[in-house]
Amino acid sequence: MQEAETWRELLATIISDSKEKQRITEALNITPITLTRWINGESAPRPQNLRHLITILPLHREKLVKLLQEEQSVGDLSQIIPEESERDIPAEFYARIFTARASTTENLRFWSTCNLILQQAIGQLDPNRLGICLWVVRCMPQSGPHNKVRSLRESVGLGTPPWVGNLEQQAMFLGAESLAGNVITLCRPGIIQNLDEEHNLMPAQRVENEKSAAIFPILYAGRIAGVFLVSSAQYSYFVSQARTSLVQKYADLLALAFEPEDFYAPEQIALHVMPSHEEQKQYFSQFRQLIADTMITEAHRNRPANNVQADWKVWQRLEEELLQYASHKKTR
């Protein structure tokens, strides 16, 4: 096959695959006719569309950028070609985390540290606002007849459209059926570039709009507290080594949000299968009311509980109910 000599020829080759053509038109929110006009030179993409095109074609990025640089009619490339994601977390941000961690009260330390880190991460991992979802997923405390970690809970989450900004109201349990559970069990990262094609290769309970995902364990001294889960609305978003390296660095930084007792040795973990998100929703529909009721009940027992303590008690109660539901469903 003859090598493309212009970016338009390269684009024509790429969209000869009908699935790829559909993916590009959907990602750019344009019609197939517009794409054809670009290729034929009948019209030129706007700078933001060209920038987006480069971003959604990571496998062709280097060649596409080179051909664009050779075409003088494109204009000022500094406004078009996206910068690579920052390879490192800024040094001053580490100092900010240490200061915040030292000055925040114990009850708020986990949430405030995670939230601060996710806000920084979302700007670096999705600078072009293509759609990303970040979750800190933590191990539930040991429980059950064998005193093991039996599930994970989505704890602190942020997103960019098509996801909402604050994801915490959508938090659910994850278990052995999930990619996060697989990462916890094997204690090694899991990356899926195309959830439509790779969903049978490893466990993955996907959510709406999720096209690719990268999950890294949160570790301390050979023990694990949870995972940093990054989902993208784009396929192949984690092809770039720089991007996956950055996800790894944020997972390492998130370890500072946890206390030493929050980390578990591999032999303390035995994840169970949890019900689907749709099945869990009915259990979480009265979540806020359950917290209020728990605080009232504990106060009547002369064991006052603050909001954080009541939150944990409700999560533990729901975990037990959902584990029983999943067990009964399995035996039907």
Side-chain angles (χ1 to χ4, degrees):
M1 182 182 295
Q2 186 175 358
E3 186 174 356
E5 296 183 357
T6 69
W7 70 270
R8 297 175 192 273
E9 290 181 7
L10 176 59
L11 184 57
T13 301
I14 293 170
I15 68 167
S16 61
D17 181 334
S18 59
K19 289 184 179 179
E20 192 69 355
K21 182 177 182 179
Q22 182 179 353
R23 182 180 76 85
I24 292 171
T25 55
E26 289 177 355
L28 298 179
N29 193 27
I30 61 173
T31 65
I33 294 175
T34 298
L35 204 56
T36 301
R37 286 174 177 168
W38 291 356
I39 291 170
N40 294 337
E42 297 172 12
S43 66
R46 295 174 181 176
Q48 62 266 33
N49 279 338
L50 197 51
R51 184 183 181 92
H52 196 173
L53 180 66
I54 297 168
T55 304
I56 64 174
L57 295 173
L59 297 177
H60 304 280
R61 184 186 189 281
E62 186 176 345
K63 180 65 174 177
L64 190 55
V65 169
K66 179 177 180 295
L67 292 173
L68 282 166
Q69 289 171 332
E70 294 173 354
E71 186 169 321
Q72 295 180 356
S73 62
V74 171
D76 183 7
L77 286 178
S78 66
Q79 300 301 314
I80 296 174
I81 299 176
E83 296 290 329
E84 278 284 347
S85 297
E86 293 289 338
R87 293 180 179 273
D88 292 307
I89 302 170
E92 58 269 22
F93 183 70
Y94 283 98
R96 187 180 172 193
I97 289 296
F98 290 133
T99 300
R101 191 173 185 273
S103 59
T104 306
T105 60
E106 184 177 353
N107 285 340
L108 296 175
R109 188 180 300 138
F110 173 79
W111 182 88
S112 62
T113 304
C114 286
N115 198 57
L116 197 59
I117 292 172
L118 292 193
Q119 287 180 13
Q120 175 71 19
I122 212 164
Q124 281 194 283
L125 292 170
D126 190 19
N128 299 314
R129 309 284 288 183
L130 299 178
I132 204 168
C133 167
L134 311 181
W135 275 109
V136 179
V137 180
R138 66 186 305 181
C139 294
M140 286 294 290
Q142 293 170 267
S143 62
H146 303 292
N147 195 32
K148 301 281 189 180
V149 172
R150 298 187 292 170
S151 74
L152 315 171
R153 60 168 284 198
E154 296 172 329
S155 189
V156 184
L158 291 179
T160 60
W163 287 284
V164 297
N166 187 334
L167 295 163
E168 290 176 39
Q169 299 301 316
Q170 302 175 17
M172 298 276 174
F173 286 101
L174 300 174
E177 79 294 336
S178 66
L179 180 57
N182 193 54
V183 169
I184 289 281
T185 300
L186 300 177
C187 208
R188 66 186 185 197
I191 298 174
I192 298 183
Q193 302 293 357
N194 186 331
L195 279 159
D196 289 334
E197 294 181 355
E198 300 178 50
H199 65 279
N200 290 323
L201 300 181
M202 58 182 75
Q205 186 182 105
R206 67 189 299 183
V207 296
E208 188 178 5
N209 301 312
E210 188 181 28
K211 302 294 178 61
S212 58
I215 305 182
F216 282 76
I218 299 171
L219 302 169
Y220 170 70
R223 300 158 76 91
I224 189 165
V227 300
F228 180 37
L229 189 162
V230 184
S231 300
S232 173
Q234 306 292 318
Y235 294 108
S236 304
Y237 198 66
F238 303 99
V239 168
S240 165
Q241 182 61 44
R243 183 168 289 146
T244 54
S245 176
L246 193 57
V247 175
Q248 171 75 77
K249 290 171 183 176
Y250 274 110
D252 294 340
L253 184 58
L254 281 165
L256 292 175
F258 294 81
E259 301 302 322
E261 60 268 23
D262 295 328
F263 292 84
Y264 298 93
E267 60 269 19
Q268 294 175 292
I269 299 172
L271 297 181
H272 292 228
V273 172
M274 296 299 285
S276 69
H277 279 194
E278 284 301 317
E279 291 173 309
Q280 290 187 44
K281 282 181 181 179
Q282 60 181 314
Y283 287 82
F284 279 90
S285 60
Q286 301 296 320
F287 187 80
R288 292 301 158 196
Q289 186 60 49
L290 289 172
I291 289 180
D293 293 345
T294 299
M295 295 179 74
I296 293 171
T297 300
E298 293 300 304
H300 287 162
R301 294 174 178 172
N302 294 318
R303 297 183 304 192
N306 59 37
N307 197 69
V308 174
Q309 293 167 331
D311 182 88
W312 265 112
K313 286 181 178 294
V314 172
W315 275 96
Q316 289 173 304
R317 170 183 166 182
L318 291 176
E319 178 195 37
E320 186 60 42
E321 290 179 2
L322 285 164
L323 286 169
Q324 290 182 13
Y325 170 82
S327 178
H328 292 155
K329 182 180 177 183
K330 185 178 179 180
T331 58
R332 285 175 191 169

